[in-house]
């Protein structure tokens, strides 16, 4: 954690759109967020990952100034989080869209546009971006969950803010809608906007995010690029007898470099070019080698390992 | 979704806009415009406004006029002669008629309006949305209060016009000369009635903010306004301490202010002469100021989920 904070201090300030330092929120006896130091760089898509109740939404609320931190600071576009001149440069969809149910989607956006002094043409632009123009005159209360979500994203895009905070933006969207949302997020970043999004859909985050932060039980466990987090290519081995295979694998990859999959195969922290050496060692030890393959760990696997989730398929062998 | 955006346009635009658009006054104007737009399109608002106007006309004119025409004594003024009953329906009586229902029924309805306007923002999550639109919470809240207040003014205006219209119609129907009330009297009643309604609307708004929802705010507010204060005044006739307390309660202040305007207690529920008109005016104004302050402090300090 200290290492992470030192990294944060070394970032050029202009490059950081969001910077939190020791951000903490306590609700009576429950520590919801515990000293989070997070950095979001200009123009990137930052994925904020964590299991339910990990503190993602509370952190995002503090970044938006909706919730006061118990301790620590949050700086957004170089100013204290929540200041009016900050929220004017930020668009957000936090924990589900909050709109007036009796108004149409279009009128809801018009009302919000008035707060930002934006004209109707901006409302039409964002409606078009989320493909909601055709249903824009329907009342919000009649919208499906996916349409409500699209309207929430449209509201976050009003005025083309520098930073767009999206909390679970694909909730309720069908597969096509999710694909559209991914494309939209990528295009926003290409257009120079910074996107901070939280999502449970790790494959989606892996696909569109430049960097990720993983939070669990209120603490930021890791913040890095997706590639760094996934750790590059590893070797997968399936050989028998298993105990002997583990011994050979540990000799080459080290005690901490071998993980056993539930199907009996081994995952080794070895580069792909170590495969011939591994094959020779296994054969020399008289083992039956069924498979040696190079593989890349998915973000989901890394996430489960980091958060100790019961769904992980791996166990350490050392 | 159309994945073409114009994200690069925002940097300088926002930078130059911020200085002018985020000033407190500008923020209040923008917030008021937004709130007025959403309130005027809310059917619940018009139901509340319509309910008050219908009640006002029914109890102010319709029933008394039917009683007058049928030869019975007045609906709410038992024992009055037909001539007295008719006098109360003619234009010169408008300054009294337009305010007599305000302390209780009008107050109850605008309190519901205030509680709905503020409380539903929490229930629907719309406070969360508008607090991230580039305006200070104080400006947004003042904008919302001003928008609700605009509807209170509208209620008083329409109510006054309808009272003048109904009384003129009755005067014409009954062959009386069309003598209008003094402008000063109408203005005095309009101002007093506006203060009373504003106090109750702000009380509803504050209750909606404190309760973080409309249901509890409306429920407790109505019980307080329609039941608790009346009970306390009853107990006050037995216990001087309670009596002294009732003199600073909003219902007593509102009722006494209207009582001072019409020059008598009774006639309509909630109209009192428990405290002087001057003291009632000061108390109502104090409530208006205190409720605005309380609302702003709570909204500014509170976490919004």
């Amino acid at each position: 954690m200290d290492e992470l904070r030192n990294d944060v201090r070394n970032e050029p300030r202009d490059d950081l759109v969001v910077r939190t330092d020791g951000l903490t929120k306590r609700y009576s006896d429950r520590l919801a967020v515990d000293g989070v130091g997070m950095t979001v760089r200009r123009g990137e898509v930052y994925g904020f990952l964590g299991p339910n109740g990990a503190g993602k939404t509370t952190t995002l609320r503090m970044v938006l100034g909706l919730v006061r931190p118990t301790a620590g600071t949050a700086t957004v576009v170089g100013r204290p989080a929540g200041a009016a001149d900050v929220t004017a440069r930020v668009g957000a969809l936090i924990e589900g869209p909050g709109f007036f149910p009796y108004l149409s989607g279009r009128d809801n956006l018009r009302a919000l546009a008035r707060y930002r002094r934006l004209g109707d043409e901006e409302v039409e632009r964002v409606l078009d971006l989320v493909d909601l123009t055709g249903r824009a005159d329907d009342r919000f209360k009649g919208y499906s969950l996916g349409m409500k979500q699209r309207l929430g994203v449209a509201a976050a895009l009003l005025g083309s803010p520098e930073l767009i905070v999206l909390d679970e933006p694909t909730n309720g969207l069908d597969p096509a809608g999710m694909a559209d949302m991914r494309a939209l997020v990528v295009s926003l970043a290409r257009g120079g906007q910074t996107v901070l999004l939280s999502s449970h859909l790790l494959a989606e985050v892996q696909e569109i995010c430049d960097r990720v932060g993983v939070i669990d039980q209120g603490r930021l466990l890791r913040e890095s690029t997706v590639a760094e987090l996934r750790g590059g290519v590893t070797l997968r081995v399936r050989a028998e007898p298993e105990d002997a295979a583990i011994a050979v694998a540990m000799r080459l990859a080290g005690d901490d470099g071998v993980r056993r999959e539930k199907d009996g195969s081994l995952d080794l922290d070895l580069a792909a070019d170590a495969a011939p050496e591994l094959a020779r060692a296994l054969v020399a030890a008289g083992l039956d080698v069924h498979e040696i393959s190079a593989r890349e760990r998915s973000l989901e696997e890394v996430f489960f390992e980091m958060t100790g989730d019961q769904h992980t398929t791996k166990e350490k062998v050392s | 979704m159309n994945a073409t955006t114009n994200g690069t346009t925002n940097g300088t635009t926002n930078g130059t806009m911020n200085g002018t658009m985020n000033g407190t006054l500008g923020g209040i104007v923008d917030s008021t415009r937004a709130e007025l737009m959403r309130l005027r399109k809310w059917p619940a608002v018009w139901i509340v406004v319509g309910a008050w106007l219908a009640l006002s006309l029914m109890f102010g004119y319709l029933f008394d006029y039917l009683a007058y025409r049928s030869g019975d004594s007045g609906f709410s003024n038992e024992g009055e002669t037909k001539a007295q009953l008719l006098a109360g329906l003619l234009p010169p009586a408008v300054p009294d008629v337009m305010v007599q229902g305000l302390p209780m029924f009008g107050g109850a309805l605008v309190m519901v309006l205030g509680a709905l306007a503020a409380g539903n923002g929490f229930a629907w999550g719309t406070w969360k949305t508008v607090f991230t639109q580039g305006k200070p919470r104080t400006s947004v809240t003042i904008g919302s209060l001003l928008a609700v207040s605009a509807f209170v003014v509208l209620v008083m205006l329409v109510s006054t016009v309808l009272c003048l219209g109904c009384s003129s119609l009755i005067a014409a129907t009954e062959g009386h000369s069309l003598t209008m009330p003094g402008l000063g009297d109408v203005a005095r009643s309009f101002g007093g009635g506006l203060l009373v309604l504003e106090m109750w609307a702000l009380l509803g708004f504050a209750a909606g903010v404190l309760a973080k929802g409309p249901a509890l705010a409306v429920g407790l507010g109505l019980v307080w306004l329609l039941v608790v204060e009346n009970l306390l005044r009853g107990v006050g006739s037995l216990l001087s301490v309670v009596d002294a307390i009732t003199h600073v309660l909003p219902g007593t202040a509102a009722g006494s202010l209207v009582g001072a305007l019409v020059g008598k207690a009774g006639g309509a529920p909630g109209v009192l002469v428990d405290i002087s008109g001057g003291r009632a005016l000061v108390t109502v104004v104090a409530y208006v100021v205190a409720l605005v302050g309380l609302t702003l402090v709570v909204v500014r300090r509170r976490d919004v989920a």
Side-chain angles (χ1 to χ4, degrees), chain B residues 39-240:
Chain B
L39 284 180
R40 77 181 158 80
K41 294 198 172 193
W42 193 3
V45 169
W46 295 109
I47 289 170
V48 169
V49 171
W52 164 244
L53 294 176
L55 283 175
S56 170
L57 293 183
M58 273 196 296
F59 288 97
Y61 290 98
L62 181 65
F63 291 139
D64 278 2
Y65 185 64
L66 290 176
Y68 166 77
R69 294 292 292 179
S70 64
D72 293 339
S73 58
F75 178 77
S76 60
N77 300 302
E78 288 179 10
E80 286 189 333
T81 64
K82 285 188 75 174
Q84 286 172 323
L85 201 54
L86 181 61
L89 298 171
L90 296 177
V94 164
D96 291 352
V97 176
M98 64 190 268
V99 293
Q100 63 190 9
L102 297 180
M104 190 163 282
F105 301 121
L109 284 166
V110 294
M111 194 203 63
V112 170
L113 177 66
L116 291 178
N120 273 318
F122 293 97
W124 294 331
T126 47
W127 283 125
K128 164 187 77 179
T129 305
V130 298
F131 286 159
T132 54
Q133 300 302 319
K135 295 290 180 285
R137 287 191 188 188
T138 307
S139 300
V140 171
T141 310
I142 291 174
S144 190
L145 288 170
L146 286 174
V148 170
S149 301
F151 276 88
V152 171
V153 172
L154 179 74
V155 165
M156 273 309 295
L157 276 173
V158 176
S159 183
T160 304
V161 169
L162 285 178
C163 284
L164 286 168
C166 282
S167 61
S168 300
L169 187 66
I170 290 170
T173 307
E174 298 302 322
H176 279 257
S177 62
L178 208 58
T179 310
M180 284 291 139
L183 190 61
D185 291 338
V186 174
R188 209 163 60 101
S189 287
F190 186 90
L194 191 61
L195 268 178
V196 168
L197 287 186
E198 182 68 8
M199 181 190 72
W200 285 120
L202 292 174
L203 204 143
F205 197 99
V209 167
L210 289 169
K212 287 186 175 180
L216 186 63
V218 168
L220 286 181
L222 288 180
V223 167
W224 176 266
L225 194 156
L226 299 175
V227 180
V228 175
E229 279 212 40
N230 281 327
L231 290 176
L232 284 174
R233 278 194 287 273
V235 174
S237 62
L238 303 172
L239 296 170
S240 59

Side-chain angles (χ1 to χ4, degrees), chain A residues 25 27 61 64-69 82-92 94-103 106-108 110-118 122 125 128-131 139 150 153 155 157-162 173 177-178 180-181 183-184 187-188 190-193, chain B residues 1-15 17-23 25-27 29-45 117 120-121 124-137 139-140 143-144 297 299-305:
Chain A
K25 183 65 183 181
Y27 293 106
R61 282 191 184 130
L64 292 168
L66 292 171
V67 167
R68 287 165 184 265
D85 57 351
V86 171
T87 56
R89 297 160 68 182
V90 177
I94 288 290
E95 207 174 36
F99 290 105
F100 302 108
Y102 56 87
L103 289 181
R106 180 175 274 121
D107 280 343
N108 265 296
R110 280 178 177 161
L112 294 180
R114 289 189 177 192
Y115 284 102
R116 290 181 178 263
R117 288 197 183 172
L118 299 169
E122 176 64 4
R125 184 186 73 85
D128 183 49
L129 277 177
V130 299
D131 259 354
R139 285 189 181 186
R150 283 167 189 257
V153 173
L157 300 179
L158 276 172
S160 300
E162 289 173 60
L173 295 183
M178 289 164 76
D180 289 344
M181 187 66 74
L184 176 63
S187 76
L188 291 169
R190 282 191 189 136
Q193 288 167 284
Chain B
M1 281 176 223
N2 184 347
T4 308
T5 68
N6 65 347
T8 52
T9 62
N10 74 83
T12 51
T13 309
N14 281 341
M17 273 167 52
N18 287 338
T20 52
M21 74 181 277
N22 288 331
L25 187 60
V29 171
D30 295 338
S31 302
T32 307
R33 286 182 64 234
E35 283 290 299
L36 277 174
M37 179 198 161
R38 70 105 174 172
L39 284 180
R40 77 181 158 80
K41 294 198 172 193
W42 193 3
V45 169
N120 273 318
W124 294 331
T126 47
W127 283 125
K128 164 187 77 179
T129 305
V130 298
F131 286 159
T132 54
Q133 300 302 319
K135 295 290 180 285
R137 287 191 188 188
S139 300
V140 171
S144 190
V297 167
V299 169
R300 271 179 62 91
R301 297 182 61 83
R302 175 174 277 173
D303 287 348
V304 179

Side-chain angles (χ1 to χ4, degrees), chain A residues 1 7-8 19 52 57 105 120 129 173 180 195 236 242 271:
Chain A
M1 187 62 72
D7 287 347
V8 169
R19 177 177 187 262
N52 286 335
T57 300
D120 285 353
L129 277 177
L173 295 183
D180 289 344
V195 181
R236 180 190 182 93
E242 197 177 301

Side-chain angles (χ1 to χ4, degrees), chain A residues 177-259:
Chain A
M178 289 164 76
D180 289 344
M181 187 66 74
R182 282 197 295 274
L184 176 63
V185 168
V186 169
S187 76
L188 291 169
R190 282 191 189 136
Q193 288 167 284
T194 307
V195 181
L196 164 56
L197 72 89
S198 78
S199 177
H200 287 108
L201 301 175
L202 300 173
E204 174 182 286
V205 170
Q206 179 177 317
E207 193 178 326
I208 63 175
C209 291
D210 303 303
R211 290 197 312 136
V212 295
V214 180
I215 188 172
D216 190 25
Q217 296 179 358
R219 298 180 69 85
L220 190 67
L221 302 177
R222 179 93 184 262
E223 186 178 66
S224 68
T225 63
V226 173
E228 282 170 359
L229 200 64
R230 292 173 67 190
V233 175
T234 60
L235 286 180
R236 180 190 182 93
V237 177
R238 200 151 55 84
E240 287 177 327
E242 197 177 301
D243 289 347
I246 289 172
V248 171
M250 288 175 70
R251 200 172 69 229
L252 292 175
D255 289 355
D256 291 333
V258 182
R259 289 168 296 279

